[in-house]
Amino acid sequence: MADISYSLIKDAQARLTDYLTPSIRLGVTGLSRAGKTVFITALVRNLVCGGRLPFFAADAEHRIVRAYLEPQPDDSIPRFDYEAHLADLLATPPRWPESTKRISELRVTIEYRSAYALKRLAGYSKLHVDIVDYPGEWLIDLPMLEQDFRTFSAGSLALARSPSRADHAKPFLDFLAGTDPAAAEDEQIAITGAKLFTAYLRAMRDSGAQSTLAPGRFLLPGELDGSPLLTFFPMPLTSEERPPRGSLAAMMMRRFESYKTSVVKPFFNDHFARLDRQIVLVDVLTALHRGADAVGDLERAMTDILRAFRPGANSWLSMFLGRRIDRVLFAATKADHLPASSHDRLEAILKEIVDEAVKRAQTEGAGVHALALSALRATREATAKQGGERLPCLRGTPIKGERIGTVTFDGTAEAAIFPGDLPADPKAALNAARHAKSASLELVRFAPPKLADTLPDGKPAAFPHIRLDRALDFLISDYLS
Ligand SMILES: Nc1nc2c(ncn2[C@@H]2O[C@H](COP(=O)(O)OP(=O)(O)OP(=O)(O)O)[C@@H](O)[C@H]2O)c(=O)[nH]1
Ligand SMILES: [Mg+2]
């Protein structure tokens, strides 16, 4: 009996301590393939293994005692499968983790020595970092909360008819031209229209588009696949009046509203509005590589995203969001595709894009920051001889099937790649990219580096990265004072 009550008291004490431990909710997002899973896996690995993080103030000041995983506080969110993603990276040969399509969460607890002598008297301090990984496609839905079906349709169709999209949208637009909004509602027409609209969104995404792919669940339906919630499409509404009851247009309008109520609002309330800090991972290099359309699209996407995080004073979101998310970091991922001399330049280009997006979104840019990083460095800097000259290059193992010119890589051989330097002037570089059909940037996908699980002394090995520590510093350092 005494034993039981003792253990109950211990348990209650542990829970109270846990309750009193400060926590920070860190959102990690980015569109499909931006690098979210690799970022979280590498970040957690470097924290728990005491990796080299010289620009992470608490680590540079030797104040981190240890970091470890703990059960997450939210039972209803799937756990981020850190161990499985790690196992992929440590496999022989190493492989990148599988694509993930849903929200997930992981709690890392950091034990540290406070920078303040008084606080140190109480012993080590603790911080829970709750990392929430969610698809950027969901974020792009948030502006829908401010729209009715008429404004959503007008915006969505204007974009579909724009020159860079009209080809992909043609089957859907042709279908729309032959469909009467006043006709009686019909499930089969709704299904056909939604399929064609989704095919257009998918084609845009596959061509590298990063913006206005709303509704986001059309591309990432998950458990909603086939549900009436996703069986609608934008329709031109000519008259100002409500469409007649029982018409196709009324059916689309009803489903649009249900999508907002059943999909977008719960995401907003249960996840988005609870975040303290946010990192948005952006594949800037692929946009630069693809040329003008992709760059224009990236800029539009950044504006949309900023409107979600930094809504203008009169917006619907600002009423609900308050000022909870006080820092947003945009990070250009996969910087290891460039030589070190270009990392600052990539960062400067992203800053330029962010500054302009801040202006366009008519928000203030306070607390918005940009940097370039590689969560897991897959290349090494090297020099190669060419015609008697020594040139800086990158060494890595391109993934099977990747090509440069006439060379196709087999996935096993290492190669020296000359990706080319980014221009020194970010404004000029961005202007050139806005007009270029394709950039002069060589881009091949690399296999993950061969990583050791443990060091010779048996301790777990940290992973190589570029500027991951600076990201961590911006996002959480002030919580570790
Ligand atoms: N070279 C290099 N490649 C990276 C890095 N991070 C991500 N990648 C590449 O980008 C791909 C996508 O990374 P993920 O982390 O799976 O991206 P994600 O955003 O989680 O993707 P989804 O789960 O599909 O939304 C990987 O398979 C790698 O090919 C990096 O730091 N360096
Ligand atoms: Mg993922």
Side-chain angles (χ1 to χ4, degrees), residues 208-227:
Q210 316 219 20
S211 77
T212 331
L213 300 168
R217 300 293 170 108
F218 280 40
L219 292 176
L220 289 178
E223 74 284 6
L224 295 177
D225 203 7
S227 150

Side-chain angles (χ1 to χ4, degrees), residues 388-408:
E389 228 186 317
R390 293 191 79 81
L391 293 172
C393 67
L394 293 173
R395 291 197 76 84
T397 309
I399 286 176
K400 187 171 179 201
E402 290 290 295
R403 286 165 55 173
I404 290 188
T406 54
V407 181
T408 305

Side-chain angles (χ1 to χ4, degrees), residues 269-344:
N269 292 330
D270 302 344
H271 306 302
F272 187 75
R274 294 173 58 211
L275 299 174
D276 299 298
R277 298 274 160 91
Q278 175 70 51
I279 177 166
V280 183
L281 303 174
V282 197
D283 196 346
V284 180
L285 283 174
T286 301
L288 293 176
H289 177 66
R290 284 192 166 139
D293 288 347
V295 172
D297 212 82
L298 173 69
E299 298 192 272
R300 225 183 349 254
M302 304 278 271
T303 312
D304 288 349
I305 291 171
L306 271 164
R307 284 205 181 103
F309 290 115
R310 289 275 174 280
N314 299 321
S315 98
W316 184 95
L317 284 172
S318 69
M319 283 162 40
F320 289 84
L321 195 57
R323 294 216 54 89
R324 188 172 167 125
I325 300 180
D326 58 348
R327 288 190 189 181
V328 181
L329 178 62
F330 285 96
T333 50
K334 314 177 194 179
D336 57 334
H337 286 83
L338 294 175
S341 50
S342 279
H343 296 161
D344 280 343

Side-chain angles (χ1 to χ4, degrees), residues 36-37 99-100 133:
K36 303 177 289 293
T37 304
S99 179
T100 48
D133 166 8

